[in-house]
Amino acid sequence: MTLWALEIEYDGTPFMGWQRQKHGLAVQQVVEEAAARVKGGGEVSEAVASGRTDAGVHAAAQIVQIELPDFTPFRVREAMNFHLKPHPIVVLRACPAPEGWNARFSSIGRTYRYVISNRAVPPALEAKRVWHLRQRLDEQAMHQAAQRLLGHHDFSSFRASACQAKSPLRTLDRLDVARRGEKIIIEAAARSFLHHQVRNMVGSLVKVGEGAWTAQKLAEVLGARNRAVAAQTAPPEGLYFTGVAYDPPLALE
């Protein structure tokens, strides 16, 4: 067997998140069971993801490590995609993992995108893939306020109570807000994030977009280091895991 790096895409709607659960189907379980069938049955190998996603959260470029036969990347991709059916998960690219590499701990950066449908009419085609808000948001005010969160801070105000990270300190490299037609797109980048950090920041940025908070208010919320003073957690369906960086980059094909 060879340790492989897989770039996968999935719709998180029908899953309990990435990690295996006692009750409910998880992306990890589906990937591991597909890999077992590619190997011809037998022991199930653990699939390790670059970052765990919660129930309902999607991925455009999740990186997963798992043991598979010594095939070509094309054959690994095709075999996995055959056995992943009918679940909304596909392998986009693959490559043998470099020596000493780990999908999670070798990462030097992760990116997320949050999508808000900002129109009067609720979405039909993207009902489980965006957060719908009727009131028109001021995306410029949101972007300006978001810049107050950049840098190295204690992000306790945007940390889930169930977060298992040893420290609330994180360095936020990018938090951009832009309008694209009827959608508000929020892009976040950091080496790592706290549990629910992106969704909690989005919830508070929406308060700015609605005119209820100023940029100074958002800065004060950050400084309070208290989850109770921040806004609601944005729903999972608008969040996408969009990428992970390694040095050197993976030779995915």
Side-chain angles (χ1 to χ4, degrees):
M1 292 294 110
T2 298
L3 185 66
W4 283 84
L6 309 178
E7 182 183 56
I8 69 171
E9 173 185 277
Y10 54 84
D11 178 349
T13 304
F15 301 110
M16 298 296 293
W18 162 261
Q19 191 171 12
R20 271 185 178 265
Q21 305 288 329
K22 293 181 179 179
H23 307 289
L25 189 64
V27 178
Q28 182 183 19
Q29 178 183 342
V30 174
V31 171
E32 289 174 348
E33 291 176 354
R37 289 191 289 271
V38 171
K39 292 188 292 185
E43 184 179 352
V44 174
S45 298
E46 181 184 12
V48 177
S50 57
R52 297 173 181 174
T53 52
D54 292 325
V57 174
H58 318 292
Q62 174 75 275
I63 300 295
V64 176
Q65 69 178 60
I66 193 166
E67 287 189 342
L68 289 164
D70 188 19
F71 294 157
T72 64
F74 173 81
R75 189 176 175 191
V76 164
R77 186 191 72 190
E78 295 301 295
M80 283 294 293
N81 286 339
F82 178 82
H83 290 292
L84 285 167
K85 296 176 183 178
H87 302 285
I89 307 172
V90 296
V91 175
L92 301 172
R93 297 186 294 168
C95 70
E99 184 177 355
W101 174 86
N102 181 278
R104 179 183 177 189
F105 297 112
S106 298
S107 167
I108 60 170
R110 296 171 174 84
T111 56
Y112 284 87
R113 175 181 300 123
Y114 198 93
V115 183
I116 298 172
S117 174
N118 192 208
R119 67 184 194 184
V121 180
L125 297 178
E126 297 180 301
K128 296 296 184 180
R129 295 180 174 87
V130 296
W131 181 16
H132 175 241
L133 293 172
R134 296 174 58 92
Q135 179 181 339
R136 185 173 178 86
L137 302 175
D138 183 342
E139 71 280 1
Q140 294 183 356
M142 292 171 69
H143 178 74
Q144 292 171 2
Q147 307 317 295
R148 300 288 192 100
L149 303 181
L150 297 182
H152 189 68
H153 303 288
D154 181 327
F155 281 95
S156 293
S157 294
F158 305 104
R159 180 184 190 181
S161 59
C163 182
Q164 298 178 353
K166 294 180 180 179
S167 170
L169 297 175
R170 290 293 185 272
T171 301
L172 186 61
D173 298 316
R174 181 163 63 95
L175 189 61
D176 294 334
V177 184
R179 177 178 292 277
R180 299 178 189 170
E182 296 178 325
K183 291 179 181 176
I184 301 291
I185 309 296
I186 301 168
E187 305 274 4
R191 186 181 185 96
S192 63
F193 291 88
L194 300 169
H195 191 197
H196 285 179
Q197 182 181 344
V198 175
R199 289 167 57 192
N200 288 336
M201 292 189 302
V202 169
S204 290
L205 284 172
V206 164
K207 298 290 284 186
V208 175
E210 293 171 340
W213 287 8
T214 63
Q216 179 59 32
K217 168 68 174 179
L218 184 67
E220 291 170 359
V221 167
L222 171 67
R225 294 176 289 182
N226 182 353
R227 178 69 189 97
V229 305
Q232 68 171 311
T233 303
E237 56 263 27
L239 184 61
Y240 297 76
F241 184 97
T242 55
V244 55
Y246 299 98
D247 186 18
L250 292 172
L252 294 162
E253 57 181 278

